[in-house]
Amino acid sequence: MTSNIQRRHLLIGASAASALTAMGARPAHADDKILIGYWPIASGLPLYVGLERAIFREAGLNMEGVKFASAQQVAEAMISGRIHGSANGTASAVLGLAEITSPNLFKIICSNPSNRSLVLDEFVVPKDSPVRSIAELAGKKIASGPGIQNVTLAKIILEKNGIANPTVTELPVGQHVPALASGQVDAVYTLEPTGTAGRLKGLSRVLETGVISKYVLGNPDAPWFGGSASVTNAFLKDSPELARRYIAAYGKAVQWVRSSPEESRKHMDGFTAIEEALVREVPLSGFTMYNEFSVSDLGYFQKFFDVFTERKIFSRKLDVKSLLYTA
């Protein structure tokens, strides 16, 4: 049963692979072009900055970002060999499922931690909702973003707040605020910029942020490494020098985001659905490169993965440290 669940979620991306073929995409190794899949959310910022500020081009790289509708589609394209890796923001647990389905698939080069200070994950309700705590969502209609990671985490948070056997409906993130405003749902577990967009439009309010760190990891300040940038092991094996230059350039893009956070925000425009007027308001997640993980970071990352093993979504335990790229 577990393997069927894994395969069903990964095969959602088959349409993306077909779309790549239809638009003339060639195998990922062709002509030294590097294709990186991304889900159009705020935490994909290093890729956007690297492309628009010519950081990749200055490193002599022929780069292209390939947009997908979900993290599952990014993972499927990696499995099928159509892209060389993922940008930050690609759900880490979905990558974990891909690794189980296709062993030795990738290495993580950067992850994006969030918590109550580095805001990414949140529960959001309609602006005039009487609900003041997650515990009050018992019996309410609740949605989350698409995919096994989002649904699983939403259910755990609800359970930790005393709600037994919660039901969570999957909705594309772009539909979260409209669904709240129309009364289709009473609350959503979502990711930024949803909370900011709904607040500025006067349609919704944030009920609580940093919910994964608090309820899943047990510490509101713990880093939740919910999304990761990666490269496939096939890319590392077939084009080691090219891969090394790409990883170094990605690191430079991360440093640029860190040193110029306000300037970097404008690069969300065009890659995400974030309107220009919202760019300055959207919180930024953190970024941790493969060689920057502390022992504590690895412990929290492993705890996050172990949740999926305990829930039998992962059919075997995954060792996070072994999934990190090493130079």
Side-chain angles (χ1 to χ4, degrees), residues 90-158:
T90 305
S92 298
V94 170
L95 290 174
L97 277 173
E99 177 69 16
I100 291 171
T101 300
S102 183
N104 201 32
L105 176 64
F106 68 89
K107 294 297 181 184
I108 293 171
I109 63 170
C110 183
S111 195
N112 43 278
S114 58
N115 53 27
R116 64 179 174 182
S117 300
L118 298 168
V119 177
L120 176 65
D121 51 304
E122 56 200 1
F123 262 82
V124 178
V125 296
K127 180 183 177 182
D128 298 324
S129 171
V131 171
R132 295 296 164 182
S133 70
I134 294 174
E136 295 176 35
L137 293 175
K140 303 292 186 181
K141 295 174 291 185
I142 301 166
S144 77
I148 193 66
Q149 174 167 306
N150 288 313
V151 173
T152 300
L153 294 175
K155 287 183 176 181
I156 292 173
I157 294 162
L158 294 166

Side-chain angles (χ1 to χ4, degrees), residues 189-225:
Y189 162 68
T190 190
L191 304 175
E192 280 292 340
T194 303
T196 299
R199 173 176 61 83
L200 293 180
K201 293 177 180 178
L203 297 174
S204 64
R205 61 179 172 84
V206 173
L207 185 62
E208 188 172 351
T209 62
V211 289
I212 305 303
S213 295
K214 181 177 179 178
Y215 297 111
V216 179
L217 300 181
N219 178 351
D221 296 312
W224 170 48
F225 294 100

Side-chain angles (χ1 to χ4, degrees), residues 10-281:
L10 286 172
L11 286 178
I12 292 172
S15 60
S18 298
L20 277 171
T21 303
M23 70 183 189
R26 292 162 290 180
H29 62 272
D31 299 331
D32 289 335
K33 175 177 275 192
I34 301 172
L35 301 173
I36 299 298
Y38 71 96
W39 188 27
I41 60 174
S43 50
L45 193 54
L47 177 68
Y48 316 150
V49 164
L51 288 169
E52 291 204 329
R53 299 200 70 83
I55 293 172
F56 297 128
R57 188 165 67 246
E58 288 172 1
L61 302 172
N62 182 13
M63 284 286 304
E64 182 178 332
V66 183
K67 184 168 71 173
F68 292 89
S70 69
Q72 287 82 0
Q73 292 183 359
V74 176
E76 180 64 27
M78 288 170 62
I79 290 173
S80 66
R82 284 298 189 179
I83 58 177
H84 295 90
S86 64
N88 277 103
T90 305
S92 298
V94 170
L95 290 174
L97 277 173
E99 177 69 16
I100 291 171
T101 300
S102 183
N104 201 32
L105 176 64
F106 68 89
K107 294 297 181 184
I108 293 171
I109 63 170
C110 183
S111 195
N112 43 278
S114 58
N115 53 27
R116 64 179 174 182
S117 300
L118 298 168
V119 177
L120 176 65
D121 51 304
E122 56 200 1
F123 262 82
V124 178
V125 296
K127 180 183 177 182
D128 298 324
S129 171
V131 171
R132 295 296 164 182
S133 70
I134 294 174
E136 295 176 35
L137 293 175
K140 303 292 186 181
K141 295 174 291 185
I142 301 166
S144 77
I148 193 66
Q149 174 167 306
N150 288 313
V151 173
T152 300
L153 294 175
K155 287 183 176 181
I156 292 173
I157 294 162
L158 294 166
E159 290 168 4
K160 293 284 187 178
N161 280 273
I163 301 174
N165 301 314
T167 298
V168 176
T169 302
E170 295 183 45
L171 281 179
V173 173
Q175 294 180 22
H176 286 185
V177 172
L180 289 169
S182 67
Q184 180 183 347
V185 297
D186 300 305
V188 295
Y189 162 68
T190 190
L191 304 175
E192 280 292 340
T194 303
T196 299
R199 173 176 61 83
L200 293 180
K201 293 177 180 178
L203 297 174
S204 64
R205 61 179 172 84
V206 173
L207 185 62
E208 188 172 351
T209 62
V211 289
I212 305 303
S213 295
K214 181 177 179 178
Y215 297 111
V216 179
L217 300 181
N219 178 351
D221 296 312
W224 170 48
F225 294 100
S228 295
S230 68
V231 291
T232 64
N233 281 316
F235 180 34
L236 289 169
K237 179 182 178 181
D238 296 342
S239 305
E241 175 59 21
L242 199 62
R244 185 194 64 78
R245 284 195 284 129
Y246 166 68
I247 294 167
Y250 199 96
K252 287 183 179 180
V254 167
Q255 289 295 343
W256 200 92
V257 172
R258 291 173 178 168
S259 63
S260 307
E262 297 308 313
E263 180 70 10
S264 69
R265 290 172 179 274
K266 70 180 184 181
H267 297 292
M268 294 183 197
D269 187 28
F271 287 94
T272 74
I274 303 171
E275 299 171 12
E276 187 175 356
L278 304 183
V279 165
R280 292 185 180 181
E281 301 284 342

